[in-house]
């Protein structure tokens, strides 16, 4: 048995340390995939919002004409991705927690020492970071030049449109 690589004697602490390393690597991979998903989602939110702002230039112009300030329009535009991010986070957490509970209830009968423990710190971080990322994704489309000003510059009109009489 001496140097056989297939057979290794370990005590409980060594076995736990080896399993923890494997689970830690899997968790790091999962967090990496989550980060890629967040980047893709924020690009999608920014793109959708930019299209929405470009399509609603007349509506935004009417709101400005009846007295809404630029800050109010920016606030209105930033509220949309905040809502999308908050609803997406709530649905994602609900589905994820339900899935963890369902898998845990299946494993509870097979593994005696199994207990579901939620990473409350990570869940809180996700709940706080997701709306913030949604608002950051809206930063470019919510700029004053992003829709109407950009279209006027492309058309060669540098001044604000005058009121028709």
């Amino acid at each position: 048995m001496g140097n056989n690589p297939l057979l290794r004697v370990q005590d409980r602490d060594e076995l736990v340390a080896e399993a923890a390393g494997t689970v830690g690597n899997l968790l790091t991979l999962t967090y990496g995939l989550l980060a890629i998903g967040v980047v893709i989602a924020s690009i999608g939110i920014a793109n959708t919002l930019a299209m929405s702002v470009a399509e609603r230039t007349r509506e935004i112009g009417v709101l400005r004409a009846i007295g809404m300030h630029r800050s109010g329009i920016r606030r209105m535009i930033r509220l949309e991705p905040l809502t999308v991010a908050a609803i997406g986070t709530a649905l994602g957490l609900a589905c994820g927690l339900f899935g963890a509970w369902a898998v845990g209830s299946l494993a509870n009968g097979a593994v005696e020492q199994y207990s579901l423990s939620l990473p409350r710190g990570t869940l809180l971080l996700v709940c706080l970071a997701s709306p913030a990322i949604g608002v950051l994704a809206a930063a470019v489309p919510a700029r004053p030049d992003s829709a109407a000003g950009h279209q006027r510059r492309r058309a060669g009109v540098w001044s604000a449109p005058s009121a028709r009489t």
Side-chain angles (χ1 to χ4, degrees):
M1 284 205 303
N3 286 343
N4 188 349
L6 299 176
L7 182 64
R8 189 171 57 186
V9 177
Q10 294 178 327
D11 64 357
R12 185 177 193 289
D13 294 335
E14 290 173 342
L15 184 64
V16 168
E18 183 180 337
T22 304
V23 170
N25 290 340
L26 185 61
L27 193 59
T28 301
L29 176 69
T30 304
Y31 282 146
L33 291 174
L34 177 67
I36 291 170
V38 166
V39 168
I40 291 171
S42 63
I43 290 171
I45 287 175
N47 185 30
T48 303
L49 192 61
M51 293 298 296
S52 173
V53 168
E55 290 172 354
R56 296 187 323 179
T57 53
R58 290 184 184 196
E59 176 188 339
I60 292 170
V62 168
L63 289 173
R64 289 281 293 144
I66 61 173
M68 185 178 254
H69 296 286
R70 287 180 191 254
S71 61
I73 291 179
R74 280 193 300 266
R75 188 178 326 115
M76 178 185 73
I77 292 171
R78 285 186 186 127
L79 189 61
E80 291 177 24
L82 179 70
T83 306
V84 169
I87 290 173
T89 301
L91 287 175
L93 283 176
C95 291
L97 291 175
F98 175 75
W101 171 80
V103 169
S105 66
L106 292 175
N108 197 14
V111 180
E112 293 178 14
Q113 294 91 8
Y114 179 81
S115 67
L116 178 64
S117 65
L118 299 176
R120 288 182 173 82
T122 304
L123 294 176
L124 179 65
L125 178 68
V126 166
C127 287
L128 295 176
S130 176
I133 291 171
V135 170
L136 286 175
V140 174
R143 281 192 351 235
D145 332 348
S146 64
H150 180 66
Q151 289 176 352
R152 283 193 304 268
R153 276 196 307 277
R154 268 197 326 203
V157 179
W158 290 95
S159 62
S162 59
R164 294 183 182 170
T165 57

